[in-house]
């Protein structure tokens, strides 16, 4: 990639690494920075352009790094600052951008800021966090719920007030209405950007500002038993507040102090509200993550509607993006099935917008069942048994058939998938029709065919399990035909011509079409017109 290209984040393919589970280099069963450096040749061979690392900063690990106790250090579990500098240098030398996770909504309760804040009501850091008096009955100040179960307020007996935590009590929320908090976090951003980091994925960016009056959230009339308890109320006042966009515009200005960096926002909202995060005049996040496919029912008509609704809401000039998996949601191969995982890969890499891959999805890694005594995720521990656990999508990368899948020479922090002896990078690299080979071919084709990157998205009417669209570039176009079903599909159309560039089954390249297309079950093709 052209390193000076200001818009690299539009053309590139992103790859999320969950560092604990990618590659261990020091035999402690936990992945680390040196391990990532060792695997840069693999990342290059995939053809991706940027890696995003989930948090690697000092942390008590109550939420595996999303509870930060020092924003400008590296947790010794992952290595040292020297190791990090070496990673940036080696990644850049390999033509890969590096994106860090910024977690500005909350710190660890072990962060010195919070230690000071909880000391006394008149501590200068008191107002860096969100402290409120008890309700008249002594209970929490309002009905806001923690995403990880229970009230979002924890009573602090020493000072007689409650503090707010949208996630664990060990993750107190910062008060983003306080200008000193903003300045401190912008300096954190400058620290990493100054080191050459290419941007940030900002954790729960839509949570940063809460209602100034702390009004009760309304009950959720659609709540169903079996759903996570925080869904009992609608988060009307606890997130997605209008003022958050001023904060994000400020963050964007910090990022823009440096050349060619990217600001990505983690946001789970419906399309209309999501696209507001591009900001007024696109001065907000470059890429508000679009998670619509993470929970999409896997039906052609529903996916078609998801694409349509998102495309329709995008502000003029806003660049789209798509995500199929991350460290919080069940693996795509388990959601849609192994056969459809290939079709999903073709969808992700042929839609209009920057794709983000989740480590291991390229070898079809599935959700791993975690026995109760092996649960590590605090969400599952707090809200057991309803399927919210995130350990199953965070299991070690399956590199080879070696002990511990080549991930570590000791027992990994989470169990490996039972099928790693067969489903691993070495085997997939040796098989020219593996899902890994498909991912590589899709990424390579995206690089070769500008229509797949910058072409318009043009839906083509289709029925049943068939999803059909064209990517129309100024000079060339391709048609994508995806069979989301388990039965063959025949498509006849005079407009159907050209040549198959790629099939998800990797065996039809070069086949000429003349008005008829036969798709096998679970097959997708890209047709060059
Ligand atoms: C979103 C992160 O992706 C998730 O892993 C984490 O638990 C919460 N934010 C809290 O930081």
């Amino acid at each position: 990639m052209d390193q000076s290209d200001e818009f690299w984040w539009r053309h590139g393919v992103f790859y999320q690494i969950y560092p604990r589970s990618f590659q261990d280099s020091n035999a402690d069963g936990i992945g680390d920075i040196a391990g990532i450096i060792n695997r840069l040749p693999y990342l290059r061979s995939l053809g991706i352009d940027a890696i995003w690392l989930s948090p690697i900063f000092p942390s008590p690990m109550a939420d595996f790094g999303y509870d930060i106790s020092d924003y400008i250090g590296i947790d010794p579990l992952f290595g040292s600052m020297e190791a990090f500098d070496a990673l940036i240098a080696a990644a850049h030398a390999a033509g890969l951008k590096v994106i860090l996770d910024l977690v500005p909504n909350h710190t660890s309760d072990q962060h010195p800021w919070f230690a000071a804040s909880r000391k006394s009501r008149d501590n200068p850091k008191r107002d860096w966090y969100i402290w409120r008096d008890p309700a008249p009955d002594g209970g929490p100040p309002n009905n806001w719920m923690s995403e990880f179960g229970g009230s979002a307020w924890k009573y602090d007996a020493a000072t007689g007030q409650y503090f707010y935590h949208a996630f664990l009590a060990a993750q107190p929320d910062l008060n983003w209405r306080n200008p000193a908090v903003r300045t401190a976090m912008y300096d954190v951003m400058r620290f990493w950007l100054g080191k050459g980091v290419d941007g940030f994925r900002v954790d729960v960016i839509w949570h940063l500002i809460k209602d100034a009056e702390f009004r009760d959230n309304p009950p959720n009339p659609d709540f169903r038993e079996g759903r996570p308890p925080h869904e009992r109320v609608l988060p009307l006042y606890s997130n997605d507040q209008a003022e958050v966009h001023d904060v994000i515009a400020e963050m964007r200005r910090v990022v823009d102090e440096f050349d060619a960096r990217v600001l990505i926002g983690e946001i789970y909202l419906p399309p209309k509200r999501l696209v507001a995060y591009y900001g007024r005049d696109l001065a907000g996040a470059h890429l508000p993550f679009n998670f619509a496919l993470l929970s999409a029912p896997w039906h052609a008509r529903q996916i078609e509607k998801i694409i349509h609704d998102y495309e329709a809401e995008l502000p003029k000039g806003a660049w789209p993006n798509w995500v199929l998996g991350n460290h919080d949601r069940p693996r795509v191969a388990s959601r849609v099935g192994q056969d459809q995982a290939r079709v999903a890969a073709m969808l992700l890499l042929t839609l209009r917008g920057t794709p983000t891959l989740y480590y291991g999805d390229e070898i079809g890694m599935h959700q791993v069942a975690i026995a109760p005594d092996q649960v590590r995720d605090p969400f599952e521990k707090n809200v057991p048994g309803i399927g919210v656990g995130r350990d199953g999508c965070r299991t070690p990368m399956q590199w080879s058939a070696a002990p511990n899948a080549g991930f570590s020479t000791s027992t990994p922090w989470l169990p490996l998938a039972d099928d790693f002896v067969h489903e691993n990078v070495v085997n997939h690299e040796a098989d020219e029709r593996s899902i890994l080979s498909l991912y590589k071919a899709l990424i390579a084709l995206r690089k070769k065919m500008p229509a797949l990157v910058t072409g318009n998205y043009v839906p083509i009417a289709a029925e049943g399990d068939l999803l059909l669209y064209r990517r129309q570039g100024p000079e060339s176009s391709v048609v994508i035909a995806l069979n989301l079903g388990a039965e063959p599909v025949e498509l006849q159309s005079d407009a159907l011509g050209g040549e198959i560039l790629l099939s998800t089954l990797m065996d039809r390249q070069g086949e000429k079409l003349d008005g008829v297309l036969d798709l096998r079950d679970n097959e997708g093709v890209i047709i060059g017109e």
Side-chain angles (χ1 to χ4, degrees):
M1 177 191 323
D2 176 359
Q3 291 283 324
S4 62
D5 177 3
E6 187 187 351
F7 294 119
W8 60 271
W9 48 271
R10 295 189 179 181
H11 312 146
V13 175
F14 288 31
Y15 183 94
Q16 180 189 356
I17 291 177
Y18 194 69
R20 289 182 75 89
S21 299
F22 198 58
Q23 177 68 63
D24 179 18
S25 76
N26 65 348
D28 63 358
I30 296 176
D32 47 45
I33 293 172
I36 298 173
I37 295 177
N38 293 342
R39 292 300 183 181
L40 287 175
Y42 169 74
L43 295 167
R44 261 187 71 89
S45 77
L46 261 181
I48 53 119
D49 301 283
I51 50 176
W52 148 37
L53 311 182
S54 281
I56 50 174
F57 317 105
S59 164
M61 301 287 165
D63 191 19
F64 298 109
Y66 285 94
D67 49 322
I68 296 172
S69 52
D70 173 7
Y71 282 91
I72 53 170
I74 299 292
D75 195 290
L77 260 186
F78 297 120
S80 60
M81 194 58 88
E82 289 68 39
F84 179 74
D85 290 337
L87 170 61
I88 291 274
H92 284 171
L96 295 172
K97 306 279 188 182
V98 179
I99 296 171
L100 289 187
D101 218 306
L102 183 75
V103 188
N105 179 69
H106 44 268
T107 68
S108 160
D109 62 351
Q110 304 302 307
H111 195 291
W113 296 341
F114 189 68
S117 185
R118 78 186 318 175
K119 259 201 184 118
S120 67
R121 289 197 188 199
D122 55 8
N123 187 281
K125 291 264 179 336
R126 185 65 168 183
D127 190 45
W128 280 44
Y129 292 82
I130 300 174
W131 293 97
R132 306 286 291 169
D133 286 334
D137 67 354
N142 68 19
N143 72 350
W144 295 1
M145 307 276 285
S146 156
E147 300 240 340
F148 290 157
S151 168
W153 296 95
K154 174 149 182 183
Y155 187 63
D156 188 58
T159 55
Q161 284 190 312
Y162 283 83
F163 68 85
Y164 177 68
H165 58 91
F167 297 90
L168 297 175
Q171 295 166 295
D173 278 44
L174 283 162
N175 174 15
W176 273 83
R177 292 183 184 272
N178 182 336
V181 167
R182 298 187 186 195
T183 306
M185 201 59 74
Y186 301 155
D187 284 345
V188 167
M189 294 171 74
R190 290 187 185 99
F191 173 83
W192 293 108
L193 293 167
K195 277 191 168 287
V197 161
D198 298 289
F200 299 105
R201 170 269 190 192
V202 185
D203 192 64
V204 294
I205 202 169
W206 86 112
H207 273 257
L208 292 180
I209 295 282
K210 300 57 159 134
D211 179 42
E213 294 168 40
F214 292 93
R215 281 169 281 188
D216 270 350
N217 279 326
N220 174 4
D222 299 325
F223 179 77
R224 282 177 292 114
E225 284 309 326
R227 295 290 307 163
H230 72 273
E231 293 184 6
R232 283 180 188 279
V233 290
L234 296 169
L236 186 65
Y237 295 114
S238 45
N239 60 50
D240 193 30
Q241 303 298 294
E243 301 102 307
V244 76
H245 298 294
D246 301 331
V247 174
I248 298 171
E250 287 178 4
M251 283 185 166
R252 170 64 179 273
R253 284 201 285 277
V254 175
V255 167
D256 285 348
E257 289 169 18
F258 298 77
D259 283 344
R261 311 299 162 100
V262 69
L263 188 66
I264 305 170
E266 186 207 19
I267 302 144
Y268 285 90
L269 286 176
K272 212 186 241 344
R273 282 158 63 200
L274 171 67
V275 298
Y277 285 76
Y278 285 101
R280 220 173 297 118
D281 302 325
L282 305 183
H286 293 102
L287 300 173
F289 260 149
N290 166 20
F291 294 135
L293 291 177
L294 289 181
S295 49
W298 207 249
H299 300 298
R301 301 287 68 76
Q302 308 216 32
I303 305 269
E304 186 177 63
K305 182 172 180 326
I306 284 172
I307 304 167
H308 170 270
D309 291 353
Y310 178 62
E311 284 271 349
E313 291 296 347
L314 282 172
K316 196 167 180 304
W319 189 255
N321 76 90
W322 294 93
V323 179
L324 263 189
N326 66 27
H327 64 293
D328 294 325
R329 294 298 167 111
R331 287 268 180 194
V332 61
S334 298
R335 279 189 283 121
V336 307
Q338 288 292 351
D339 294 335
Q340 279 294 314
R342 288 170 175 260
V343 176
M346 187 170 273
L347 175 70
L348 176 71
L349 286 151
T350 58
L351 282 174
R352 192 174 79 91
T354 302
T356 301
L357 277 53
Y358 182 51
Y359 88 93
D361 281 351
E362 75 275 21
I363 54 168
M365 276 175 62
H366 63 77
Q367 191 74 3
V368 174
I370 306 289
D373 62 341
Q374 288 182 317
V375 169
R376 305 292 303 265
D377 179 14
F379 193 6
E380 175 69 22
K381 286 185 178 173
N382 284 0
V383 184
I386 60 165
V388 297
R390 302 172 296 175
D391 293 324
C393 67
R394 298 174 175 178
T395 57
M397 180 69 176
Q398 296 154 212
W399 293 106
S400 70
N404 302 320
F407 162 72
S408 176
T409 51
S410 343
T411 307
W413 74 288
L414 279 176
L416 283 150
D418 49 8
D419 59 356
F420 81 83
V421 172
H422 304 289
E423 305 304 328
N424 60 56
V425 169
V426 168
N427 284 355
H428 279 238
E429 281 179 339
D431 174 359
E432 59 185 23
R433 293 186 184 168
S434 67
I435 184 167
L436 177 60
S437 297
L438 171 65
Y439 263 97
K440 287 185 186 179
L442 283 164
I443 294 170
L445 197 59
R446 215 179 145 91
K447 295 251 136 75
K448 211 169 86 189
M449 305 230 35
L452 281 171
V453 179
T454 53
N456 290 337
Y457 166 80
V458 186
I460 305 175
E463 286 171 7
D465 289 326
L466 187 63
L467 183 60
L468 202 58
Y469 49 93
R470 178 176 280 113
R471 296 295 310 282
Q472 179 75 58
E475 268 135 41
S476 64
S477 63
V478 289
V479 166
I480 294 98
L482 305 175
N483 181 1
L484 271 67
E487 297 296 327
V489 170
E490 191 196 68
L491 179 67
Q492 297 203 16
S493 159
D494 291 344
L496 211 57
E499 173 185 328
I500 294 186
L501 302 176
L502 187 62
S503 155
T504 50
L505 301 169
M506 308 284 291
D507 56 358
R508 291 177 78 173
Q509 281 96 317
E511 191 180 309
K512 300 266 185 301
L513 296 182
D514 195 5
V516 183
L517 170 66
D518 287 305
L519 284 179
R520 289 164 284 179
D521 55 291
N522 302 301
E523 184 183 24
V525 295
I526 303 176
I527 303 160
E529 292 186 296

